[in-house]
Amino acid sequence: MGTLVGMASTRTDPLTLEVVDLIGTVVARYHEEYELAAAQHSLTGAQARVLGLLALEPLPMRRIAVSLRCEPSNVTGIVDRLEARGLVERRPDPADRRVKLAVPTDEGRATARRLRESLEFAREPLAGLSVAERTLLRDLLRRMLGEPVAP
Amino acid sequence: MGTLVGMASTRTDPLTLEVVDLIGTVVARYHEEYELAAAQHSLTGAQARVLGLLALEPLPMRRIAVSLRCEPSNVTGIVDRLEARGLVERRPDPADRRVKLAVPTDEGRATARRLRESLEFAREPLAGLSVAERTLLRDLLRRMLGEPVAP
DNA sequence: AAGAGATGTTTCATGACCTGAAACAACCAT
DNA sequence: ATGGTTGTTTCAGGTCATGAAACATCTCTT
């Protein structure tokens, strides 16, 4: 993993620090816009994330917790609040009477769709980059995340 | 901004969606590691952010709130908890008796330094990129954020 | 110099999120 | 059938966050 001779310590060289800083800025802006978009639909960030998940596929509580990386007891409250607004409902799982499936209502699906659209629009800063640049960015991010570059 | 003819709508083309997704992954990982590093020092994320700010420079409550983009009344509680742990203390501002400066104690500064080190270490995925690649990534991120590329 | 308005901090009420422990029902393996 | 495991909820306790109100202090205007 990198030669020792001439290694400017990836921890401290100015270039790396600047990239880390830029990523910090991206992270901050991403979060701001996400919370803002959620708030425009009278949702909190957590509620928006759960609704977004369920719009793809109804899920048992347990799996929501895994996706959110939090305790199942926490999910109970979030789904409670979504249910109180009529965006989600709990259905028994016919295959296992212990589990409850959280499934979005029609209104929940519509809200999720609008949310997704405003989010995509909010993330538009990529528009300033050409296709070649976006491809480059994609490959660099993939490598950074340890994913294979070739599809 | 971009020709209309042949424009694949930056909102929906697969490349852009993938980049957006990758950025989402980066954001998630960044946050996880930040919270984890904070927790290893028995701090919450908010407390770690404030302590990190104060380690650079003592600040009045109001300015902490601006940095965190939250209400000043919220900062009171966070600094209360840092103060209760002996990491920060409030000092009167000689120039204006209304304001209270939050200044880290020696222990607070030491904690901030250790935190910063573990954070930098946690952000090490950049090590997999060459200098040329990091430079490229820096420029792309700058452009994406609407910053000038040339220093 | 005095009063009026602005500013900085705190307190309080309220609510969302989050965890960990405990309860409960239902599953599954022996 | 019994015992252990798993999925969900409830509860207590803590942090973060907002907005309104109180309070002290500053600053501007006259």
Side-chain angles (χ1 to χ4, degrees):
Chain A
M1 48 151 48
T3 65
L4 287 171
V5 181
M7 173 163 103
S9 169
T10 323
R11 286 249 287 296
T12 53
D13 79 286
L15 174 58
T16 298
L17 288 182
E18 189 184 350
V19 173
V20 166
D21 206 62
L22 284 165
I23 292 175
T25 305
V26 169
V27 168
R29 200 173 291 187
Y30 184 103
H31 253 81
E32 259 173 68
E33 292 181 356
Y34 194 96
E35 296 285 328
L36 200 75
Q40 279 162 0
H41 299 276
S42 304
L43 294 173
T44 65
Q47 287 163 13
R49 274 187 291 279
V50 169
L51 192 55
L53 273 179
L54 299 183
L56 297 177
E57 172 191 26
L59 291 173
M61 302 289 134
R62 192 72 184 61
R63 291 197 37 205
I64 299 176
V66 171
S67 280
L68 262 61
R69 294 180 209 278
C70 70
E71 299 300 317
S73 61
N74 187 19
V75 176
T76 300
I78 299 172
V79 171
D80 278 352
R81 289 179 279 272
L82 286 172
E83 200 170 23
R85 293 200 191 177
L87 301 177
V88 156
E89 65 181 24
R90 284 172 164 95
R91 289 212 210 130
D93 182 341
D96 185 337
R97 283 180 304 168
R98 287 171 302 180
V99 352
K100 280 167 194 159
L101 288 166
V103 37
T105 62
D106 288 345
E107 192 190 339
R109 260 183 289 270
T111 303
R113 189 179 39 71
R114 276 182 281 122
L115 192 67
R116 178 168 185 76
E117 278 162 9
S118 62
L119 271 176
E120 276 170 8
F121 195 72
R123 292 172 189 163
E124 200 77 8
L126 289 174
L129 271 51
S130 71
V131 169
E133 289 168 330
R134 287 201 293 273
T135 306
L136 213 49
L137 182 56
R138 179 199 62 187
D139 292 342
L140 288 172
L141 289 174
R142 275 187 188 167
R143 298 239 346 249
M144 205 186 112
L145 290 168
E147 294 178 18
V149 168
Chain B
M1 54 151 45
T3 64
L4 287 172
V5 180
M7 171 163 102
S9 169
T10 322
R11 286 251 286 296
T12 52
D13 78 283
L15 174 57
T16 298
L17 289 183
E18 187 183 351
V19 174
V20 165
D21 206 62
L22 284 165
I23 291 175
T25 305
V26 169
V27 167
R29 201 173 289 186
Y30 184 102
H31 254 79
E32 258 174 67
E33 292 182 354
Y34 194 96
E35 297 284 330
L36 200 74
Q40 279 161 359
H41 298 278
S42 304
L43 294 173
T44 65
Q47 288 163 10
R49 274 188 292 279
V50 169
L51 192 56
L53 274 179
L54 299 182
L56 297 176
E57 172 190 26
L59 292 174
M61 301 289 134
R62 192 73 184 60
R63 295 201 33 211
I64 299 176
V66 171
S67 280
L68 262 61
R69 295 179 208 276
C70 70
E71 298 301 317
S73 60
N74 187 19
V75 177
T76 299
I78 299 173
V79 171
D80 278 353
R81 289 179 279 274
L82 286 172
E83 199 170 23
R85 292 198 191 180
L87 300 177
V88 157
E89 65 181 24
R90 283 171 164 95
R91 290 212 210 129
D93 181 341
D96 185 338
R97 281 180 305 169
R98 286 172 303 181
V99 352
K100 280 167 194 157
L101 290 164
V103 36
T105 62
D106 288 345
E107 193 190 339
R109 260 183 289 271
T111 302
R113 188 179 40 70
R114 274 182 282 125
L115 192 66
R116 179 166 184 77
E117 279 162 9
S118 62
L119 271 177
E120 278 170 5
F121 193 72
R123 290 172 190 164
E124 198 78 9
L126 289 174
L129 271 52
S130 72
V131 169
E133 288 168 331
R134 286 200 295 271
T135 306
L136 214 48
L137 181 56
R138 180 199 60 187
D139 292 342
L140 288 172
L141 290 174
R142 275 188 188 167
R143 298 239 347 249
M144 204 185 113
L145 290 168
E147 293 177 19
V149 168

